[in-house]
Amino acid sequence: LLSCRLYCEEAENPKRRSCQTVLAEALDVVVRSFAPILPHLAEEVFQYIPYRKDSEGVFRTGWINASSAWKKPGLEEAIEGACAMRDSFLGSISGKNTLEYEVIIVIEPGLLFELMEALQAEETSSVSQLNEIMMASQTTLLSEVPKETPADANIIKGTFLINLEGGDICEQSSYKVIARPIAKAKCPRCRRYTSESSSTPCPRCLNVLGGKGST
């Protein structure tokens, strides 16, 4: 997830920049957390953070002060739900390379489906947040099993309990996960199987390369 965003997207792409923001916030919280017991290490780390503009040390800039902007209702449940589906996917391929597969997630219309839509607005995507969590080359989000699904397809069934607003909103939702080998070729740049030819970058990478003119 991190490597794809940091190394495959354009330098100023919002996905890449948001990833850097999260890493910077995480580093700040970790350093301030262990500062009372490892003061010299914390101070050294703080002084070498390249993007800090002030010269004051970790002990002169206050304790952890997380912004309320990080608290987004439903986000935690969406990520946990996606991770539960990823576990089902990983269990169905027995240690094989996840990028060699495409994932189909089937959820009946309801709260869980809406939460997954927040992670992937398109029906099928290779660059959505949901696909990054699934670690596949492509993820499709549907409300019913595709008609062309073979009768002997390995369909993994699961359930996820959604708990929002401190328990005021609870909903037990079921889902199905179908993993099947992807038919596309491996992109020589991002290593995902999203290219039409093994010698040609995928559409996302072609767009990035066209924008910055280098690999």
Side-chain angles (χ1 to χ4, degrees), residues 109-130:
L111 186 53
L112 182 59
F113 189 89
E114 293 175 5
L115 290 175
M116 292 306 105
E117 279 190 315
L119 301 177
Q120 178 170 302
E122 310 86 354
E123 182 176 282
T124 299
S125 177
S126 61
V127 296
S128 68
Q129 295 181 72
L130 179 59

Side-chain angles (χ1 to χ4, degrees), residues 42-63:
E43 189 63 36
E44 184 174 6
V45 172
F46 212 72
Q47 293 299 327
Y48 279 92
I49 294 177
Y51 47 81
R52 289 199 63 84
K53 296 181 180 180
D54 58 76
S55 59
E56 291 187 325
V58 64
F59 294 101
R60 293 182 178 273
T61 54
W63 185 236

Side-chain angles (χ1 to χ4, degrees), residues 25-179:
E25 185 73 13
L27 177 62
D28 186 85
V29 170
V30 169
V31 173
R32 294 181 192 277
S33 297
F34 66 65
I37 56 175
L38 295 170
H40 298 293
L41 176 60
E43 189 63 36
E44 184 174 6
V45 172
F46 212 72
Q47 293 299 327
Y48 279 92
I49 294 177
Y51 47 81
R52 289 199 63 84
K53 296 181 180 180
D54 58 76
S55 59
E56 291 187 325
V58 64
F59 294 101
R60 293 182 178 273
T61 54
W63 185 236
I64 299 169
N65 184 24
S67 170
S68 60
W70 292 103
K71 185 63 177 178
K72 186 175 180 181
L75 180 59
E76 181 178 355
E77 287 73 18
I79 299 298
E80 288 181 351
C83 287
M85 296 172 200
R86 181 185 63 192
D87 291 343
S88 297
F89 164 52
L90 296 176
S92 70
I93 62 174
S94 302
K96 296 178 181 177
N97 184 1
T98 60
L99 293 177
E100 295 179 357
Y101 290 84
E102 63 174 321
V103 178
I104 300 174
I105 298 174
V106 181
I107 309 171
E108 292 184 359
L111 186 53
L112 182 59
F113 189 89
E114 293 175 5
L115 290 175
M116 292 306 105
E117 279 190 315
L119 301 177
Q120 178 170 302
E122 310 86 354
E123 182 176 282
T124 299
S125 177
S126 61
V127 296
S128 68
Q129 295 181 72
L130 179 59
N131 188 66
E132 289 178 342
I133 294 172
M134 298 304 294
M135 302 190 302
S137 279
Q138 179 176 288
T139 297
T140 299
L141 180 62
L142 300 172
S143 59
E144 58 183 17
V145 176
K147 294 180 180 179
E148 66 273 15
T149 303
D152 59 348
N154 184 19
I155 302 178
I156 308 300
K157 298 180 180 180
T159 60
F160 181 74
L161 177 62
I162 301 171
N163 192 330
L164 295 173
E165 304 295 335
D168 291 340
I169 301 175
C170 289
E171 183 175 301
Q172 182 86 13
S173 300
S174 60
Y175 62 84
K176 299 182 180 71
V177 175
I178 305 171

